[in-house]
Amino acid sequence: MKERRDLSDLVRTEIRDGIGWVTLDNPPVNATSTAVRAELLEAVGKVQRCELAVLSCAGKTFVAGGDMSEFDAPPQEPHLPDVTTALENSATPFVALMHGNVLGGGFEIAMACAFRVARPGTRFGLPEVNVGLIPGAGGTQRAPRLLGWEMAFQMACLGKTFTAEALFAAGAIDLVADNPEATIAQFKGHTPERVSERAIAPIPPSEIARFKAQAREFAKGRAAPLHNLTALTWASQPFAEAQPKERALHLELRKSEESIALRHIFFAERAVTRPATLQGIAPHDLAHIAIIGGGLMGSGIAAASLIAGYKVTLIERDRQAADAARATVTKLLQGALDRGKITRSAFDAQIDALTTTDTYEAATDADLAIEAVFEDLDAKRAVFAALTRVVGPQTLLATNTSYLDPNAIFAGIDKPERCLGIHFFSPAHIMKLVEVVKADHTGDHALATAFAFAGKLRKTPVLAGVFDGFIGNRILSAYRRAAEYMLADGALPQQIDAAMRAFGMAMGPFEAQDMAGLQIAQANRQRQDATRNPDERYVTISDKLCDMGRFGRRAGAGWYAYPDGAKTGQPDPLVDELIAAYRHENGLTPCSFSETDIQTQLLAAMANEGARIVDEGIAENAAAVDVVKTSGYGFPRWRGGPMHWAETIGMSEVRSALDALEAASPGSWQRAKAFQNGHN
Ligand code: NAI
């Protein structure tokens, strides 16, 4: 067992040749915890007789932020502004010697130093905006003075990071060097003007309008980007007046719902992508990935795997389909090249690493095979039968099925511990979420390998058990059902979509269905016909649209009309009539729903289904549900996910919303334990 580190080890001070070398060592990212801040202050005191002091960090990065785990409690002294003030006022000038990431509090510290030097490629940023905050130790006040308004705006309000080279070009750092230690002595005897004392002209009014528009566009309902802009504008006031205002706003925002939700998701993602049950289990090394089915999903998975550096064999039904799949993957890689995500030489290497074929032989030495053929049990079973004839017993076998039962897909396969679901989301080369599905016989090694693989693809893996729709699509079904009941009872698609967008969803439930295609939901309903509880209400409006060939955007019409190939749908009087006719036929008197009614009831339906999924052990915990919805379904991160939403709004609100849903559609909802009336 590792010994507990002595706290005094967090910051080491050594004095050599008149230079004080202060080294911060708080793995993994040298976060500025209370103990670190206290020791840094002490270290500033220790070097006061030196000619120069150097502040650097051990490990793979400079300070990459504050210790967010401390943000829920009242702040403890010494505060970060105490440290930055001490560094800036130090009689011995400080050189910040940086590598890795210099983020948030780390950059605030660097800006308070007299000099800044960095290794090539070091990245700088003020990502507080991403967790609903503004910097709290002079970041918004020093950044414009040091970087100019434009760069400071992009960093603080849009969360952008910049390289050492870009900062050097902007005059914000003194030196970029491979071996910066060797250059330190040149700073002896110089005392530059403090950054906080530099004069800066106010932002020109025309720029303010542009900044505001850009920040609002980026915010998509969040408040933090605009708070950052407000704090930046204070920088044209004297630092001593403006900095306390920044600090006060930072502390106030720590308690905001937005920041609490974003911090919840930040920690949830870290926990969920490293499940406790898989700790200490070494993943298999993967080099060669076989993908069977090169349609929409298979091509996206292939592109993501190639970009992650794997050799990929893509198997299609025939030569023509294989060629088509090759063209699709090439197009996706070309897109990544055009967007600057990959270099030309990486693109060339990835094209070389791709084999497209209509035979299984090329997959003989694959380490992992992912099936993405049609959503049909027999087709999938045939794929695995063919695969197991050519691959070795070690090859992991994964299905990308959305709704079929992996246990049925893998029935009879030798060594079933290597079989699992790896469920990607469309478009697979972009969407972060991956549900790693544990079938009855899946072994932990297979799961750990799938988690490592998803991590290599820079995705967010979440462990899921077997159930129709796993975690995400099961919640989606409940959400859609609630939305369709609401249509029948008085709301219109455009009203529901607008309400959910106002809540912060990327799209409302009906426009999202139009985009994906109504036939997917229809196929699900048809599959569920056999097992659906006979008491459950079934609204047929969606089926009627399908009967009319209104399958959504690609078909030119769905819940909305898309005249002349329009991308955004327009409310269609024909759909309104269809809904009115349905109400009439079923003797329903339409009632009115406020925006809040719509939001609360639909979110309660989601949270209830999420809680049931946790009750049944399909998801490990509520955090997993939140990560699934925020990383795969357009649920706003700054709302923290449906389970966090339920906690924020409170049990009694959720229960009343469920009461309303049940009263409108008796026998159609089953409650999770936590939301049962009378349950604590
Ligand atoms: P798709 O229809 O675009 O692609 C399926 C491809 O598989 C076609 O190119 C077809 O030629 C090929 N194929 C069929 N049988 C084959 C065989 N025996 N051997 C080799 N290739 C064969 O379908 P899509 O959308 O890519 O879906 C594939 C799977 O992924 C399905 O199980 C689906 O449920 C699942 N999925 C789909 C998502 C979506 O948004 N479309 C999201 C997540 C999972």
Side-chain angles (χ1 to χ4, degrees):
M1 206 175 108
K2 252 182 146 179
E3 257 180 65
R4 196 169 173 275
R5 292 160 53 86
D6 181 11
L7 277 190
S8 62
D9 269 3
L10 292 169
V11 178
R12 294 188 294 271
T13 307
E14 255 181 81
I15 297 178
R16 277 184 272 131
D17 306 328
I19 299 182
W21 296 87
V22 177
T23 310
L24 203 162
D25 187 3
N26 184 27
V29 295
N30 292 309
T32 53
S33 61
T34 306
V36 165
R37 297 193 301 269
E39 291 189 32
L40 266 177
L41 263 191
E42 246 176 64
V44 176
K46 283 187 200 163
V47 299
Q48 287 306 300
R49 302 181 113 167
C50 300
E51 273 180 84
L52 193 68
V54 178
L55 174 61
S56 65
C57 290
K60 55 180 195 274
T61 181
F62 195 74
V63 176
D67 185 345
M68 279 209 296
S69 65
E70 292 184 350
F71 284 14
D72 292 333
Q76 301 292 311
E77 288 189 334
H79 305 301
L80 195 57
D82 302 331
V83 177
T84 49
T85 304
L87 284 167
E88 196 171 54
N89 293 346
S90 167
T92 304
F94 263 85
V95 183
L97 193 160
M98 300 169 282
H99 69 294
N101 291 319
V102 182
L103 301 176
F107 191 40
E108 293 185 289
I109 286 175
M111 288 192 285
C113 290
F115 302 100
R116 281 157 291 281
V117 300
R119 284 180 209 284
T122 305
R123 288 204 85 87
F124 295 81
L126 291 170
E128 286 82 353
V129 65
N130 296 334
V131 283
L133 295 174
I134 67 166
T140 58
Q141 305 308 297
R142 289 191 180 92
R145 290 173 161 98
L146 189 66
L147 308 169
W149 288 115
E150 182 66 39
M151 204 182 239
F153 165 74
Q154 295 198 20
M155 256 195 196
C157 301
L158 310 183
K160 287 211 172 134
T161 60
F162 292 91
T163 58
E165 291 75 8
L167 260 72
F168 182 74
I173 56 180
D174 302 280
L175 192 70
V176 182
D178 280 319
N179 184 12
E181 287 85 351
T183 68
I184 294 302
Q186 65 173 294
F187 296 109
K188 280 189 186 173
H190 299 278
T191 317
E193 186 185 21
R194 293 171 181 164
V195 172
S196 68
E197 288 173 1
R198 294 189 191 173
I200 179 167
I203 315 179
S206 60
E207 290 296 80
I208 292 239
R210 179 173 65 87
F211 285 163
K212 249 192 205 152
Q214 258 181 282
R216 200 165 283 136
E217 155 96 29
F218 172 73
K220 297 206 166 62
R222 286 176 298 153
L226 288 148
H227 283 309
N228 272 280
L229 183 55
T230 305
L232 283 179
T233 61
W234 297 333
S236 50
Q237 302 167 16
F239 185 84
E241 279 170 35
Q243 196 272 326
K245 291 202 279 187
E246 179 210 62
R247 180 74 188 161
L249 181 54
H250 166 86
L251 292 178
E252 187 188 316
L253 291 179
R254 277 195 195 182
K255 293 184 235 149
S256 68
E257 279 186 11
E258 176 179 319
S259 180
I260 291 171
L262 285 165
R263 274 148 43 204
H264 158 74
I265 274 297
F266 177 90
F267 286 116
E269 279 176 358
R270 268 147 197 80
V272 164
T273 52
R274 302 179 187 110
T277 48
L278 302 180
Q279 289 308 309
I281 297 172
H284 295 294
D285 279 338
L286 303 178
H288 180 188
I289 315 293
I291 297 164
I292 304 86
L296 179 73
M297 294 306 290
S299 302
I301 299 167
S305 306
L306 288 162
I307 291 171
Y310 294 104
K311 173 182 167 189
V312 171
T313 298
L314 188 48
I315 302 170
E316 259 291 348
R317 290 184 288 179
D318 51 44
R319 203 49 254 172
Q320 201 186 350
D323 291 344
R326 184 166 197 96
T328 315
V329 178
T330 307
K331 208 170 111 198
L332 295 176
L333 295 177
Q334 182 69 47
L337 177 65
D338 295 345
R339 289 194 308 276
K341 300 269 176 211
I342 53 172
T343 61
R344 164 64 59 181
S345 63
F347 171 85
D348 293 341
Q350 287 157 15
I351 294 288
D352 280 352
L354 171 67
T355 304
T356 42
T357 170
D358 59 353
T359 64
Y360 280 79
E361 274 61 38
T364 311
D365 70 347
D367 304 300
L368 163 67
I370 305 172
E371 165 281 310
V373 303
F374 302 134
E375 187 75 337
D376 176 90
L377 183 60
D378 292 335
K380 289 182 189 292
R381 285 180 55 80
V383 164
F384 287 108
L387 260 175
T388 45
R389 282 196 285 274
V390 298
V391 301
Q394 298 303 322
T395 304
L396 298 183
L397 304 175
T399 173
N400 183 48
T401 183
S402 303
Y403 290 97
L404 298 175
D405 180 352
N407 291 313
I409 294 175
F410 294 123
I413 288 191
D414 188 31
K415 296 200 179 294
E417 63 276 14
R418 62 182 166 148
C419 300
L420 77 168
I422 303 185
H423 183 215
F424 288 84
F425 289 76
S426 173
H429 61 298
I430 291 179
M431 293 296 284
K432 291 276 169 229
L433 178 64
V434 173
E435 288 177 327
V436 174
V437 183
K438 184 178 184 346
D440 286 352
H441 302 289
T442 308
D444 285 347
H445 278 288
L447 295 174
T449 305
F451 269 76
F453 171 66
K456 273 284 220 74
L457 268 55
R458 296 173 170 265
K459 300 210 178 280
T460 308
V462 177
L463 191 59
V466 172
F467 193 95
D468 195 319
F470 309 119
I471 301 174
N473 282 342
R474 175 168 163 191
I475 296 175
L476 180 65
S477 292
Y479 174 52
R480 280 189 179 154
R481 210 150 55 81
E484 288 182 25
Y485 294 165
M486 222 172 239
L487 277 193
D489 291 337
L492 287 172
Q494 51 271 30
Q495 190 195 352
I496 294 177
D497 284 345
M500 297 321 288
R501 255 187 282 111
F503 174 78
M505 295 288 189
M507 270 187 221
F510 296 104
E511 50 200 358
Q513 247 192 76
D514 267 5
M515 206 179 83
L518 269 63
Q519 61 275 33
I520 299 181
Q522 187 186 38
N524 292 338
R525 290 193 302 273
Q526 287 169 351
R527 201 188 51 254
Q528 288 159 353
D529 279 348
T531 52
R532 187 177 297 109
N533 171 1
D535 294 338
E536 187 180 299
R537 185 177 182 190
Y538 187 95
V539 174
T540 55
I541 303 170
S542 188
D543 288 328
K544 289 212 169 90
L545 288 176
C546 293
D547 292 345
M548 293 160 74
R550 298 184 64 118
F551 287 112
R553 197 171 86 186
R554 271 184 298 262
W559 290 103
Y560 293 89
Y562 299 83
D564 307 320
K567 286 216 155 158
T568 318
Q570 292 171 6
D572 190 338
L574 228 145
V575 174
D576 296 358
E577 277 168 33
L578 199 74
I579 296 169
Y582 178 85
R583 289 178 193 146
H584 182 73
E585 279 159 29
N586 289 277
L588 297 164
T589 314
C591 49
S592 71
F593 291 91
S594 70
E595 186 175 270
T596 314
D597 291 337
I598 296 173
Q599 292 170 344
T600 317
Q601 290 186 28
L602 296 192
L603 293 164
M606 268 197 208
N608 181 57
E609 201 64 21
R612 289 183 63 208
I613 288 171
V614 177
D615 287 347
E616 293 166 21
I618 303 299
E620 280 206 308
N621 47 39
V625 172
D626 283 344
V627 171
V628 165
K629 294 321 270 188
T630 50
S631 57
Y633 291 84
F635 197 106
R637 283 172 69 83
W638 56 276
R639 297 280 197 181
M643 311 314 289
H644 181 80
W645 168 84
E647 214 166 84
T648 306
I649 192 169
M651 281 298 155
S652 67
E653 282 278 339
V654 180
R655 286 189 189 124
S656 332
L658 293 174
D659 288 344
L661 284 171
E662 285 168 1
S665 311
S668 301
W669 297 105
Q670 271 176 281
R671 282 208 193 195
K673 281 192 213 134
F675 298 135
Q676 276 160 17
N677 287 321
H679 192 277
N680 285 322

